[in-house]
Amino acid sequence: MASSNDSPFGYNASFPLAIVGAILFCLVGIIHFYQFFRYQTYCFYPMLLALIMEMAGFISRVYSIHHTTVLSPFLISYITIILAPSFIAAACYIVFGRVIWLVTPHDWRGLRSLWVPARWITPIFVTLDLLSFLIQLAGLGSVASAHNPDISPQESQKRLDSGISTLRTGLIVQLLGFGIFTIIGARFIFVSRRWKSDWPEDGGRWLKLAWAINISCALIMLRAIYRVIEFTGTQGQGSYFERYEWPFWVFDVLIVLSVFTISIIVHPGRYLPSPYRGFYLSKKTRNANPPGVISPLSLNAIAGTRGNHTRIATSDSEETHLEQRGQR
């Protein structure tokens, strides 16, 4: 739609589309909350926070379109919709970290194999995401203060320009994090074939989850690129993306909805064993070998008790696997 100086959005925002957006995010939110408690996937909580922010953002957008003189709903919509993908990023980083702990044997969890050691993958990228979130929040705070009716137009424009610049910086940090993570994540899928014999005995189902995470990250990275371009307008003149509504629906709403839909279809609760779904990954779980892979201590036990015909393996196939590992 063409731009409108009377609207805080910078264009004539579509009320029917806002209604559709609010309904879709609420429906997706209900499904995600059900899956969260159904599978007890407590490590996936950032995704729910993102959904809450999107729902609040679109409900506020619906109200704001017909109440353009009331700035609070617009600011709530503006801030929550921009910041919500930061929590999607955190959810991807956490779940991908659980996948690595699940499928990677001890000897392959180092810097040389993964480029980032297994124990540092989630902390590093979540910290980078948090930094991006705080920078964006600071920028949005400055943008919000620019709408103060008690300040001069010059001061308002100054705060707006400063806030947009800070917001763009935060998005670039987020984009950088996504880019590095996507490279490491895609590489892991192929590198993990080196220890394919030690994969969990689930037929490689975890690969679906790994691919889903990488595709989601790539989509959110595309959304971040759109937002960076959006905030490149000259002083007092917004960019094309700021003056028209369709890019918002195509490059933000559609992408974010796609990511939420992917995480419904390929939900971590269906692919991660129970110990890997908790809010906190215990030390015992981190130190355990992947399912189907016996620890070195158990191998020693097998070697020491072979003469007494002691059975340690839980199945014939596992026993054969242990014997082969013991001979290596």
Side-chain angles (χ1 to χ4, degrees):
M1 288 187 178
S3 63
S4 173
N5 293 328
D6 297 330
S7 171
F9 295 98
Y11 47 75
N12 293 319
S14 171
F15 183 73
L17 279 178
I19 291 285
V20 171
I23 292 174
L24 288 176
F25 277 108
C26 286
L27 289 176
V28 169
I30 291 172
I31 297 173
H32 263 282
F33 270 92
Y34 168 76
Q35 290 181 317
F36 180 80
F37 291 105
R38 166 68 176 81
Y39 299 115
Q40 299 181 343
T41 319
Y42 301 127
C43 66
F44 211 41
Y45 72 93
M47 191 66 81
L48 296 189
L49 296 178
L51 270 165
I52 291 172
M53 294 182 72
E54 292 285 358
M55 288 187 286
F58 276 90
I59 292 172
S60 298
R61 185 181 179 92
V62 169
Y63 182 86
S64 178
I65 289 174
H66 284 324
H67 300 80
T68 56
T69 58
V70 184
L71 287 177
S72 296
F74 164 73
L75 292 175
I76 292 173
S77 173
Y78 187 74
I79 291 172
T80 54
I81 290 176
I82 287 180
L83 291 180
S86 294
F87 291 97
I88 297 177
C92 290
Y93 298 152
I94 291 172
V95 172
F96 188 76
R98 302 298 171 90
V99 169
I100 287 179
W101 285 111
L102 171 67
V103 304
T104 310
H106 285 289
D107 294 343
W108 295 90
R109 293 177 180 174
L111 179 66
R112 185 175 181 179
S113 302
L114 304 178
W115 287 2
V116 178
R119 63 175 178 170
W120 291 111
I121 285 179
T122 296
I124 286 176
F125 286 104
V126 169
T127 300
L128 192 61
D129 186 54
L130 178 61
L131 175 63
S132 165
F133 175 85
L134 293 175
I135 295 174
Q136 291 180 68
L137 185 61
L140 288 168
S142 182
V143 170
S145 68
H147 291 84
N148 187 343
D150 297 329
I151 62 176
S152 65
Q154 293 79 9
E155 178 64 21
S156 176
Q157 187 61 51
K158 180 180 178 181
R159 294 186 183 184
L160 181 62
D161 292 339
S162 175
I164 292 296
S165 178
T166 303
L167 180 58
R168 186 167 55 243
T169 300
L171 288 166
I172 291 173
V173 172
Q174 184 184 66
L175 186 59
L176 177 65
F178 268 125
I180 297 173
F181 178 80
T182 301
I183 293 172
I184 291 176
R187 178 182 178 273
F188 172 78
I189 292 176
F190 294 99
V191 169
S192 64
R193 298 181 184 278
R194 297 177 183 176
W195 60 86
K196 188 174 182 178
S197 61
D198 294 333
W199 282 3
E201 296 179 358
D202 61 357
R205 292 182 70 248
W206 65 269
L207 277 170
K208 296 180 181 179
L209 180 58
W211 276 114
I213 294 170
N214 278 275
I215 292 172
S216 297
C217 285
L219 288 172
I220 294 297
M221 186 167 62
L222 178 62
R223 178 261 179 193
I225 293 173
Y226 151 69
R227 284 296 187 179
V228 170
I229 296 174
E230 179 188 17
F231 298 126
T232 55
T234 57
Q235 183 174 8
Q237 178 66 39
S239 68
Y240 176 87
F241 285 169
E242 287 182 284
R243 292 182 283 115
Y244 291 85
E245 185 178 21
W246 73 264
F248 166 70
W249 289 97
V250 173
F251 297 113
D252 192 302
V253 181
L254 185 60
I255 286 177
V256 173
L257 273 174
S258 298
V259 171
F260 284 133
T261 303
I262 289 172
S263 60
I264 288 174
I265 298 172
V266 190
H267 193 275
R270 295 186 183 134
Y271 297 88
L272 294 177
S274 180
Y276 295 85
R277 291 186 232 138
F279 179 82
Y280 173 74
L281 192 64
S282 68
K283 184 176 181 181
K284 179 180 179 180
T285 303
R286 293 197 305 269
N287 290 337
N289 277 297
V293 180
I294 201 68
S295 68
L297 291 177
S298 297
L299 284 174
N300 292 336
I302 291 173
T305 59
R306 188 176 296 161
N308 296 327
H309 304 288
T310 302
R311 179 179 175 78
I312 295 180
T314 59
S315 66
D316 293 340
S317 60
E318 184 179 350
E319 188 169 24
T320 301
H321 179 63
L322 299 181
E323 292 287 347
Q324 292 174 348
R325 288 180 62 85
Q327 293 173 1
R328 283 192 294 203

